[in-house]
Amino acid sequence: MPVFKELIGSSARLAGVRVLAAACGAVVAATPAAALSCLPWGPADAYLEAANSSSAYNVIAGELRFDETQLPRSHSENPEDMPELSRIPAQISGKLLDGKYFSQRVSVPAVLEVECAGPWCAGARSGVDYVLFAEQRGGELVVRLGACGGFAFDDTPEVRRTVLECHRGGSCVPLAPR
C-alpha cells in the first residue's frame, strides 16, 4: 500500500499518493505508415505505478477544464513533425482520494503534459469528469497524458471501484503483465 503524505496545493491542502511517470510501452517505427503499438494500460496499472514511485501524486475524481485548441494536432504536411511534449494549463474541480474515499472537495490549477509519439498524440476533452493521478512538482500539479495511456481515466463506477479496491489493499490486477 502506498505511503500518504500531506502536500500543499496552491489553494488546498492535499493528501498524495506516490506515482511514477507513465510507462506506456510504445513501439514506433520510423515510417509514417507504421502503427503505434501499446501495452494495455488501466487504472490498476496507474495505481501500481503510484505504489512503487518516489514521486508524490494526488488522486482526484472530477471535472477537467482546459483550452482544447492547445492540444497538439497532426498536420497533413508533415505528420511526424509533432512536439514530443505540450504543456497546457488546466483546472481540476472534484474530490480528492483522502483516506478510504474520494471525499475532500478541491478546485486546483494543474498542467496537462500531453505526449506525442511521432504523429500519435494523447488527447482529452475539457469539461469531462476523469479520475486523475496528478503529480505534485513543487507548487504545481501535473497530469501526464501519454500516446499509449497516461494518468487520466474516464470517471466511471468501474474506474473508481478499481482505484478504491487497489487503495484499500484489495485485488489490484494490472492489464499489463508485470
Side-chain angles (χ1 to χ4, degrees):
M1 172 152 312
V3 176
F4 284 86
K5 298 180 180 182
E6 271 195 28
L7 303 172
I8 305 297
S10 57
S11 65
R13 301 197 97 207
L14 303 176
V17 177
R18 299 163 159 246
V19 163
L20 178 65
C24 68
V27 178
V28 181
T31 65
L36 184 64
S37 177
C38 301
L39 293 174
W41 180 261
D45 298 272
Y47 193 89
L48 292 169
E49 290 291 333
N52 294 311
S53 174
S54 61
S55 296
Y57 271 63
N58 300 281
V59 181
I60 303 169
E63 184 181 39
L64 176 65
R65 291 213 167 269
F66 63 97
D67 181 356
E68 287 186 35
T69 64
Q70 293 186 30
L71 286 170
R73 304 218 189 277
S74 182
H75 29 94
S76 58
E77 306 85 57
N78 185 358
E80 295 288 329
D81 185 26
M82 297 297 296
E84 287 184 29
L85 184 70
S86 298
R87 290 176 48 89
I88 302 171
Q91 182 73 25
I92 303 170
S93 298
K95 291 185 176 181
L96 177 73
L97 180 57
D98 186 24
K100 293 187 177 189
Y101 303 98
F102 289 98
S103 57
Q104 183 181 343
R105 291 204 174 278
V106 294
S107 183
V108 292
V111 174
L112 298 180
E113 284 191 348
V114 181
E115 298 173 350
C116 293
W120 299 280
C121 297
R125 296 180 325 247
S126 184
V128 172
D129 286 345
Y130 290 98
V131 174
L132 304 158
F133 290 78
E135 181 182 3
Q136 184 78 44
R137 293 186 195 161
E140 187 174 70
L141 285 178
V142 178
V143 178
R144 295 194 61 182
L145 304 175
C148 282
F151 288 96
F153 302 91
D154 288 335
D155 187 3
T156 66
E158 294 155 346
V159 168
R160 280 195 190 209
R161 224 179 349 266
T162 298
V163 172
L164 290 173
E165 184 74 14
C166 289
H167 187 65
R168 293 174 181 157
S171 175
C172 193
V173 180
L175 295 176
R178 297 195 175 276

